[in-house]
Coordinates of all heavy atoms in Angstrom, one line a residue:
E12 N 106.9 120.3 89.5 CA 108.2 120.1 88.8 C 108.6 118.7 88.9 O 108.6 118.1 89.9 CB 109.2 121.0 89.5 CG 110.5 121.1 88.8 CD 111.5 122.1 89.4 OE1 111.0 122.9 90.3 OE2 112.6 122.1 89.0
T13 N 109.1 118.2 87.7 CA 109.5 116.8 87.6 C 110.9 116.8 87.1 O 111.2 117.4 86.1 CB 108.6 116.0 86.7 OG1 107.2 116.1 87.1 CG2 109.0 114.5 86.7
K14 N 111.8 116.0 87.8 CA 113.1 115.8 87.4 C 113.2 114.6 86.5 O 112.7 113.5 86.9 CB 114.0 115.6 88.6 CG 115.5 115.4 88.2 CD 116.3 115.3 89.5 CE 117.8 115.0 89.3 NZ 118.5 114.9 90.5
V15 N 113.6 114.7 85.3 CA 113.7 113.6 84.3 C 115.1 113.3 84.0 O 115.9 114.2 83.8 CB 112.9 114.1 83.0 CG1 113.0 113.0 82.0 CG2 111.5 114.5 83.3
T16 N 115.4 112.0 83.9 CA 116.7 111.5 83.5 C 116.5 110.8 82.2 O 115.8 109.8 82.2 CB 117.3 110.6 84.6 OG1 117.4 111.4 85.8 CG2 118.7 110.2 84.2
H17 N 117.2 111.3 81.2 CA 117.1 110.7 79.9 C 118.5 110.2 79.5 O 119.5 110.9 79.7 CB 116.6 111.7 78.8 CG 116.4 111.1 77.5 ND1 117.3 111.0 76.6 CD2 115.2 110.7 77.0 CE1 116.8 110.4 75.5 NE2 115.5 110.3 75.7
E18 N 118.6 109.0 78.9 CA 119.9 108.4 78.6 C 120.7 109.2 77.7 O 121.9 109.4 77.9 CB 119.6 107.0 77.9 CG 120.9 106.2 77.6 CD 120.6 104.9 77.0 OE1 119.7 104.2 77.6 OE2 121.1 104.6 76.0
E19 N 120.1 109.9 76.7 CA 120.9 110.7 75.8 C 120.9 112.2 76.2 O 121.9 112.9 75.9 CB 120.3 110.5 74.4 CG 120.5 109.1 73.8 CD 119.8 109.0 72.5 OE1 119.5 110.0 71.8 OE2 119.6 107.8 72.0
L20 N 119.8 112.7 76.8 CA 119.8 114.1 77.1 C 120.3 114.5 78.5 O 120.5 115.6 78.8 CB 118.3 114.6 76.9 CG 117.7 114.4 75.5 CD1 116.2 114.8 75.6 CD2 118.4 115.2 74.5
G21 N 120.4 113.5 79.3 CA 120.9 113.8 80.7 C 119.7 114.1 81.6 O 118.6 113.7 81.3
V22 N 119.9 114.9 82.6 CA 118.9 115.3 83.6 C 118.4 116.7 83.2 O 119.1 117.6 82.9 CB 119.5 115.3 85.0 CG1 118.5 115.8 86.0 CG2 120.1 114.0 85.4
Y23 N 117.1 116.8 83.2 CA 116.4 118.1 83.0 C 115.1 118.1 83.8 O 114.6 117.1 84.3 CB 116.2 118.3 81.5 CG 115.3 117.3 80.8 CD1 113.9 117.6 80.7 CD2 115.8 116.1 80.3 CE1 113.1 116.7 80.0 CE2 115.0 115.2 79.7 CZ 113.7 115.5 79.5 OH 112.9 114.6 78.9
H24 N 114.5 119.3 83.9 CA 113.3 119.5 84.6 C 112.1 119.8 83.7 O 112.3 120.6 82.7 CB 113.4 120.6 85.7 CG 114.4 120.2 86.7 ND1 114.0 119.7 87.9 CD2 115.8 120.2 86.7 CE1 115.1 119.5 88.7 NE2 116.2 119.8 88.0
T25 N 111.0 119.3 83.9 CA 109.7 119.6 83.2 C 108.7 120.2 84.2 O 108.9 119.9 85.4 CB 109.1 118.5 82.4 OG1 108.7 117.5 83.4 CG2 110.1 117.8 81.5
F26 N 107.7 120.9 83.7 CA 106.8 121.5 84.6 C 105.3 121.2 84.2 O 105.1 121.0 83.0 CB 107.0 123.0 84.6 CG 108.4 123.4 85.0 CD1 109.4 123.6 84.0 CD2 108.7 123.5 86.3 CE1 110.7 123.8 84.4 CE2 110.0 123.8 86.7 CZ 111.0 123.9 85.8
G27 N 104.5 121.0 85.2 CA 103.1 120.7 84.9 C 102.2 121.4 86.0 O 102.7 122.3 86.7
I28 N 101.0 120.9 86.0 CA 100.0 121.6 86.9 C 99.3 120.5 87.7 O 98.9 119.4 87.1 CB 99.0 122.4 86.1 CG1 99.7 123.4 85.2 CG2 98.0 123.1 87.0 CD1 98.8 124.1 84.3
E29 N 99.0 120.8 88.9 CA 98.0 119.9 89.7 C 96.9 120.8 90.2 O 97.1 121.9 90.6 CB 98.7 119.1 90.8 CG 99.3 119.9 91.9 CD 100.1 119.0 92.9 OE1 100.3 117.8 92.6 OE2 100.5 119.6 93.9
A30 N 95.7 120.2 90.2 CA 94.5 120.8 90.8 C 94.3 120.2 92.2 O 94.3 119.0 92.4 CB 93.3 120.5 89.9
V31 N 94.3 121.1 93.2 CA 94.1 120.7 94.6 C 92.9 121.3 95.2 O 92.5 122.4 94.9 CB 95.3 121.0 95.4 CG1 96.5 120.2 94.9 CG2 95.7 122.4 95.4
W32 N 92.3 120.5 96.1 CA 91.1 121.0 96.9 C 91.5 120.7 98.3 O 91.6 119.6 98.7 CB 89.9 120.2 96.5 CG 88.7 120.6 97.2 CD1 88.1 119.9 98.3 CD2 87.9 121.8 97.0 NE1 87.0 120.6 98.7 CE2 86.8 121.8 97.9 CE3 88.0 122.8 96.1 CZ2 85.9 122.8 98.0 CZ3 87.0 123.8 96.2 CH2 86.0 123.8 97.1
G33 N 91.9 121.8 99.0 CA 92.5 121.7 100.3 C 93.9 121.1 100.1 O 94.7 121.6 99.4
E34 N 94.1 119.9 100.7 CA 95.4 119.2 100.5 C 95.2 118.0 99.6 O 96.2 117.3 99.3 CB 96.0 118.8 101.8 CG 96.5 119.9 102.6 CD 97.6 120.7 101.9 OE1 98.5 120.1 101.3 OE2 97.5 122.0 101.9
K35 N 94.0 117.8 99.1 CA 93.8 116.6 98.2 C 94.1 117.0 96.7 O 93.5 117.9 96.2 CB 92.3 116.1 98.3 CG 92.0 115.0 97.5 CD 90.6 114.5 97.7 CE 90.3 113.3 96.8 NZ 88.9 112.9 96.9
V36 N 94.9 116.2 96.1 CA 95.2 116.4 94.7 C 94.1 115.7 93.9 O 93.9 114.5 94.0 CB 96.6 115.8 94.3 CG1 96.8 115.9 92.8 CG2 97.7 116.5 95.1
L37 N 93.4 116.5 93.1 CA 92.3 116.0 92.3 C 92.7 115.5 91.0 O 92.2 114.5 90.5 CB 91.2 117.2 92.1 CG 90.6 117.8 93.4 CD1 89.7 118.9 93.0 CD2 89.9 116.7 94.2

Side-chain angles (χ1 to χ4, degrees):
E12 184 172 353
T13 305
K14 182 179 176 182
V15 178
T16 303
H17 187 276
E18 186 176 307
E19 294 177 16
L20 301 175
V22 177
Y23 61 96
H24 294 262
T25 65
F26 302 94
I28 304 171
E29 64 184 9
V31 295
W32 183 255
E34 289 302 312
K35 181 179 179 182
V36 176
L37 302 175

